[in-house]
Amino acid sequence: MQSFTMNESFPLNAWYAVAWDVELKNELLPRTICNKPLVLYKKKDGSPVALEDACWHRLLPLSKGSLRGDTVICGYHGLEYNSDGRCSYMPSQETINPSACVRSYPITLKYRFFWVWMGNPALADEALIPDMHWNDDPDWAGDGQMIKVHCNYRLVVDNLMDLTHETFVHSESIGDRNVAEAPFDVHHEDKTATVTRWMKGIKPPPFWKGQLNKIINHDGEVDRWQIIKFEAPCTVNIDVGVAISGTGAPEGDRSKGVNGYVLNTITPSTNQTCLYFWAFSRNYNIKDQSNTTELKNGVARIFAQDEDILEAQQKAINENPNREFYNLNIDAGAMWARRITDNMVRKELETRTDAI
């Protein structure tokens, strides 16, 4: 049994998705990340900028101002800031106070997401961005969305690490009793946890039957897989699909089936809200845009059901802050994800300085 108190900490020395590639333009976009208000924009040359969203002078959010070229102009008294966050103009005076600046954060584009580093900028190694290459790999096709969910980011990770909820929350699309009853394996390392589940010789649920029939006309049994990989602190990539039963999918031959990846990275916004970036990518019918749109809309409906559950759960936790809960076997993946993130936060707190 464990107390279900919500650990409100999150590591700062990590890359967090902050916007889809199409969201960022040469205009001001406010986003709150790890309890810190940011203002984002693209420079004229296309490079991204992430600044503290608070004017040095009177703290008005810079996102309330305007953008002229690459310069942010405060909407209160007209102070101007360059893309490094340094004040370049003050009204009614020639001398600029040398302390007049706002913090600039490392930001980069990878896998169709803009990622921001909230901690020590000296540690912002782009190699640490979690692998989500399926989102822009030419051999895969897909799309997704961003959802603002009114719950702590860890509740979304919990939801993704235990897919037995599909049986009950998504019974009309991807869920069936086989998900809840199938055995599974859990493996963990320093920064990752993986849950593997195979459901062999089953009747496919409606969603997967429809996808399989796009390439193979098959009305019989299938082998279905869900391989969920968590990478701390908040990315969960899920390898999913079905193949005609007995054709070798569990051994690695998925040629008689359809394969997709549900890509998820959940960014803490505040202690009670998060930005949930997701995409569904597939390696079949990759030139069929109608299939991409169909899948995007279908997954969006599924995740809307999750959103309703998660927000109701957060409300109940807030109303019962001292409630203790028992863990079930199905919670093993989520428990390891929490432990790994807790350890990441603990190590960071031991070395954190005022510099970040």
Side-chain angles (χ1 to χ4, degrees), residues 166-168 170-179 205-206 224:
E166 290 181 358
T167 302
F168 312 101
H170 312 304
S171 59
E172 296 180 356
S173 54
I174 57 175
D176 60 34
R177 297 294 306 184
N178 294 292
V179 178
R224 181 182 180 187

Side-chain angles (χ1 to χ4, degrees), residues 10-22:
F10 24 70
L12 296 182
N13 289 324
W15 289 103
Y16 290 106
V18 71
W20 273 87
D21 52 359
V22 296

Side-chain angles (χ1 to χ4, degrees), residues 115-182:
W115 304 81
V116 68
W117 183 275
M118 300 300 295
N120 185 344
L123 302 177
D125 182 355
E126 292 186 21
L128 298 176
I129 295 174
D131 181 15
M132 302 185 81
H133 74 272
W134 303 271
N135 209 26
D136 64 359
D137 189 317
D139 292 329
W140 293 74
D143 204 357
Q145 295 178 343
M146 187 274 284
I147 312 169
K148 183 174 182 179
V149 188
H150 292 273
C151 74
N152 185 278
Y153 79 106
R154 293 193 182 209
L155 293 184
V156 184
V157 174
D158 289 347
N159 173 271
L160 293 166
M161 294 302 290
D162 168 29
L163 296 183
T164 61
H165 76 270
E166 290 181 358
T167 302
F168 312 101
V169 180
H170 312 304
S171 59
E172 296 180 356
S173 54
I174 57 175
D176 60 34
R177 297 294 306 184
N178 294 292
V179 178
E181 296 172 358

Side-chain angles (χ1 to χ4, degrees), residues 4-9 152 154-155 271 314 317 338:
F4 204 76
T5 55
M6 189 62 59
N7 186 335
E8 295 183 344
S9 298
N152 185 278
R154 293 193 182 209
L155 293 184
N271 295 333
Q314 182 68 68
I317 291 171
R338 283 176 174 264

